[in-house]
């Protein structure tokens, strides 16, 4: 079984990495508690701003493997989404040095395409900025309509109830199935030269 990974993995934000719509469920300003690190908004009953449980280790895994990570969101509140990514702290990787400190989530993202627009536009911008072919991109999103990116050659994976390890593996498996490693075997002629 192949363990090959795409060169770029992109994630929608709302209901893919976190359980809310940042432009309607979250009210600025956001705050990070100086002791707990917990991020909340300014509502009377503050909403906790955090990723789904498996997301931090998924980010560590992809980053350690050298995969480029992108956020692609069509939110109407791009600055608030960026602020949330800047304030959310991702704990050190499991099994890492005990002196390791949490890292702002935004540092895990190599590319941010966060603005109201079609996901097609987001991926065209990613391709333009990175030079990565569409067939080397995998995208996770909670909205079926965003499957439109497959027209470009991007592999799309629907996220029904937030990103988790099983959804990640399902997406990777589908991407590998569509893009198997092609091995070119050397053919040697009778005289010992490559044909």
């Amino acid at each position: 079984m192949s363990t090959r990974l795409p060169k770029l993995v992109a994630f929608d934000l709302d209901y893919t990495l976190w359980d809310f719509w940042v432009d309607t469920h979250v009210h600025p300003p956001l705050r990070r508690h100086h002791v707990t690190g917990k991020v909340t908004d300014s509502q009377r009953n503050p909403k906790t701003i955090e990723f789904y449980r498996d997301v931090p280790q998924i980010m560590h895994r992809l980053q350690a493997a050298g995969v480029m990570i992108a956020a692609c969101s069509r939110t109407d509140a791009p600055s608030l989404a960026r602020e949330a990514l800047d304030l959310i702290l991702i704990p050190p990787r499991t099994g890492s040095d005990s002196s390791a400190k949490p890292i702002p989530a935004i540092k895990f993202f190599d590319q941010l395409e966060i603005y109201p627009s079609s996901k097609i536009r987001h991926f065209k911008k990613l391709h333009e900025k990175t030079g990565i072919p569409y067939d080397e991109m995998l995208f996770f999103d909670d909205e079926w309509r965003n499957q439109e990116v497959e027209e470009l050659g991007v592999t799309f994976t629907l996220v029904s109830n937030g990103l988790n390890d099983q959804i990640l593996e399902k997406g990777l498996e589908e991407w590998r199935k569509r893009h198997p490693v092609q091995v070119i075997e050397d053919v040697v002629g009778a005289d010992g030269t490559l044909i």
Side-chain angles (χ1 to χ4, degrees):
M1 178 179 184
S2 171
T3 58
R4 194 166 79 94
L5 297 170
K7 291 183 177 165
L8 183 144
V9 174
F11 301 100
D12 175 47
L13 297 174
D14 299 341
Y15 289 101
T16 300
L17 296 186
W18 52 46
D19 70 342
F20 51 84
W21 284 304
V22 74
D23 53 6
T24 59
H25 295 159
V26 175
H27 304 283
L30 304 182
R31 296 179 189 89
R32 182 194 308 141
H33 191 275
H34 68 284
V35 175
T36 65
K38 183 176 168 182
V39 179
T40 57
D41 70 358
S42 63
Q43 296 182 72
R44 183 170 290 151
N45 294 315
K47 172 147 191 69
T48 300
I49 312 301
E50 62 187 351
F51 287 143
Y52 289 110
R53 186 189 59 166
D54 292 351
V55 170
Q57 291 307 315
I58 288 171
M59 294 296 172
H60 280 294
R61 175 183 171 191
L62 293 174
Q63 188 181 62
V67 173
M68 187 172 286
I69 302 172
C72 292
S73 174
R74 67 169 78 224
T75 183
D76 287 325
S79 59
L80 188 57
R82 288 171 192 262
E83 182 182 2
L85 290 173
D86 194 43
L87 289 173
I88 294 171
L89 294 176
I90 291 187
R93 187 174 186 145
T94 304
S96 65
D97 179 357
S98 62
S99 66
K101 297 192 182 307
I103 303 164
I106 202 160
K107 292 190 181 280
F108 283 83
F109 292 91
D110 302 291
Q111 298 291 325
L112 298 171
E113 296 298 323
I114 303 174
Y115 45 83
S117 184
S118 158
K119 297 294 171 99
I120 295 275
R121 180 174 171 212
H122 290 154
F123 278 88
K124 284 184 175 180
K125 281 289 191 190
L126 284 174
H127 174 66
E128 181 183 307
K129 289 177 179 179
T130 67
I132 295 174
Y134 295 117
D135 65 355
E136 284 289 335
M137 298 181 184
L138 172 60
F139 181 43
F140 294 87
D141 194 308
D142 69 307
E143 293 185 70
W144 189 251
R145 68 180 168 154
N146 294 322
Q147 183 187 22
E148 68 184 359
V149 299
E150 294 215 335
E151 297 168 17
L152 299 172
V154 175
T155 300
F156 174 87
T157 301
L158 184 66
V159 177
S160 300
N161 295 304
L163 183 69
N164 59 38
D165 290 327
Q166 287 115 343
I167 297 289
L168 177 71
E169 289 304 324
K170 177 182 173 193
L172 290 171
E173 182 180 321
E174 180 60 29
W175 179 82
R176 288 177 186 132
K177 187 167 53 170
R178 292 182 188 188
H179 308 288
V181 178
Q182 295 184 0
V183 178
I184 300 171
E185 294 184 41
D186 293 332
V187 179
V188 180
D191 63 353
T193 59
L194 292 176
I195 297 176

